[in-house]
Amino acid sequence: MDQMGIHYNIWIVLLSFALAAAAAYSALNLISQVSHSAGRIRRLWLLSGASVLGSGIWAMHFVGIMASRLPFKVSYHPAMAVLSLLIIMISCYTAFHIAAAPRQRSWRFLAGGTILGGGISLMHYAGMSSMEMNAQVHYKFADQAVSVLIALVASYIGVFMFRRFKDYAGFSRWKLYSAMFIALAVTGMHYSSLRTSGLHYYSWQSTAPMLMETDVVLLTGISLVTLFVLAISGGAVFLDRDVLERMAYHDPLTELPNRHGLERYFKDDFFGGISGAVFFVDLDRFKSINDTLGHDIGDLLLREVSARLTCCVGGIGKVFRLGGDEFLIALPDCSIGAAEEVAQHILQELKKSYSIEGNELYVTASVGISMTPAHGTDRSALMKAADTALYTSKDSGKNKFSVFDLEMNRHQVRRMSLEKDLRKALARSEFMVVYQPKWDSLLNVTVGLEALLRWRHPEHGIISPAEFIPIAEETGLIVPITYWMLHEVCGQNMLWHKAKVASVAVSINMSARMFEGGSLYEVVEEALMRSGLAAHFLELEITESIAMNNMEETVAQLSKLRNLGVRVSLDDFGTGFSSLGNLDEIPVNTLKIDQVFIRKSKMHSKKAIISNIIAIASNLNMEVVAEGVETTEQIELLQSLGCRVMQGFYYGRPMPVNELGQWFIENTA
């Protein structure tokens, strides 16, 4: 019996080690992408890395066999050779899958190293069994245990180093060290196993079908495997840098960088200058274009907008699309004066007409600006500040830009706090209703009441309706609040009727949200039935914008309520955009003259408007109520023009129920 591999070609030995190390480093490069991906892409990176490393280890094994000079001819069984390749690939995939998990645990590295080392050893013995020769290999258990231990220990060290570089896709010395230890595990196990194995020669020639001839065919196979390794590595790098990277970091519609590209840009390129600017750009009324012309036209418009923004910025900054009609612009070296000039230029360019598939479109934008380092020194703080400034631009009329300041931040923080508390206010019974009288100035009697909502905040006291009603409208909370108010007002009015304190209609302001669901009639009917109140003692106040929005549906709902007996009044008449030609089509009992005209009633133009509103109401058989009456001069003017019912501080402020009862007693005469 002779020992195997006593004589080695040292150059082929070094080649086998280099092949294993190169394959390991290429595989680790691919595995570094795993932490940045998920789902199928993650499995693709794992499979690519396992294929590269497994193929490299397999090729190294057979190169290592050729490095030993054997005194007889050797052939290889193809099925066993392929089986050994599958064994090492599966082992590499399993080891990488365990060791590259998001949560780093010591047991994962130990398990991954054990599986990789075990796979190397199992592949080695499967590869050895594929050899067909006039000899039989004999193994000594103790010697082979040492070679397997070399594979396990070196593999564990290589896998343990994952924690140093597993999230880093570039060059890393730790990645190189890991590749060297994995190569050592392969070559160390292989050559130590061959060195301590024995051969028993046969004296007769054996023939075996389906065998590969030795060196030429094997070298060809190894070369093909090596090319396969290089092809996968090169293809994966190209896919990562030119395809997947573009998919991951760019918006497919506009081809602008997306949120992921934004994060990378701020991390690598934005900070470093003395001052920089961040712009939040949001299109005004873009939803209406999508709703009327379709999303295809909307997408084409977004492309045009992105092109104009890119031209506005030029080479001094970067434009990103965050989603929908939201864009972000980063100018890394920019003063506040230059930022304001750029913002003004953006507004001017975006509001120019767009010609898209035969449609002439117009759109404006609102812009919010934050500056570094004044408003933040990291991406999150700057984006939050710019977003807050954007809301200010929206609230102040749109088609404007605003630069962030601390007052905006306080306003935004308070708004968020109120929105959070508003969601709990109804359940905590924090709302209350106050009532303001409507007075007939000729008969000197109360002819109606207007119910007004108030919020008693446990910390901030009474919150102004002008502050919390817009929040309730935006969030949709106004709907359940109005439901509650309808039941509360109807019930209270019925109590006044039973006590014979008052017998007048009470009006409640309606939100446009109440007309969206189409269930307003059922809600009002339920409130009347539960309270037992007659329908004509309830009046619903709507604004001109509600009347003109989806007019056909609104008129249909109001007509059903009028048929029920409920009264309807048109609030703030003259301040909206309603058409006089449609006024007679809206089922309205009363026109309310807005207090803006009453306060400036000394002006000839305002006096003329008041006179015309009264004349219109008279000709349409509608009643008129003047709001905001505070002086005797205003009363005399309104009476001279033919208006007798008035509402304002002169006759009574909004009062809670307990004060209103006393007011009724004092003003009964």
Side-chain angles (χ1 to χ4, degrees), residues 54 57-58 84-92 116 119-120 123:
I57 291 174
W58 183 85
S84 64
L85 177 60
L86 291 176
I87 288 172
I88 190 58
M89 282 187 174
I90 293 172
S91 300
C92 291
L116 181 59
I120 291 171
M123 183 276 304

Side-chain angles (χ1 to χ4, degrees), residues 125-245:
Y125 292 115
M128 292 296 294
S129 66
S130 71
M131 297 171 63
E132 298 285 345
M133 54 190 175
N134 294 326
Q136 184 177 0
V137 180
H138 292 276
Y139 301 108
K140 293 181 180 179
F141 178 79
D143 294 333
Q144 296 304 311
V146 172
S147 62
V148 171
L149 185 62
I150 291 173
L152 292 173
V153 172
S155 296
Y156 169 70
I157 295 174
V159 171
F160 185 77
M161 291 180 182
F162 273 22
R163 65 173 62 195
R164 295 281 190 171
F165 63 84
K166 81 180 190 71
D167 295 330
Y168 183 65
F171 173 80
S172 167
R173 59 190 180 93
W174 291 102
K175 190 183 298 184
L176 180 61
Y177 297 157
S178 177
M180 299 288 282
F181 271 100
I182 292 175
L184 179 62
V186 179
T187 54
M189 190 277 159
H190 177 83
Y191 291 116
S192 63
S193 175
L194 289 182
R195 185 69 180 78
T196 57
S197 301
L199 282 175
H200 178 72
Y201 299 108
Y202 298 132
S203 58
W204 46 273
Q205 291 284 334
S206 64
T207 59
M210 294 292 294
L211 299 180
M212 297 186 293
E213 294 301 323
T214 52
D215 292 353
V216 175
V217 176
L218 185 60
L219 278 173
T220 302
I222 293 171
S223 300
L224 290 175
V225 168
T226 304
L227 289 174
F228 171 72
V229 169
L230 294 175
I232 289 183
S233 300
V237 170
F238 174 81
L239 186 68
D240 175 49
R241 292 184 178 177
D242 295 274
V243 180
L244 293 180
E245 180 174 347

Side-chain angles (χ1 to χ4, degrees), residues 99 164 192 212 299 391 529 536 585 638:
R164 295 281 190 171
S192 63
M212 297 186 293
D299 289 346
Y391 273 105
M529 288 181 62
H536 65 275
E585 300 176 17
L638 290 168

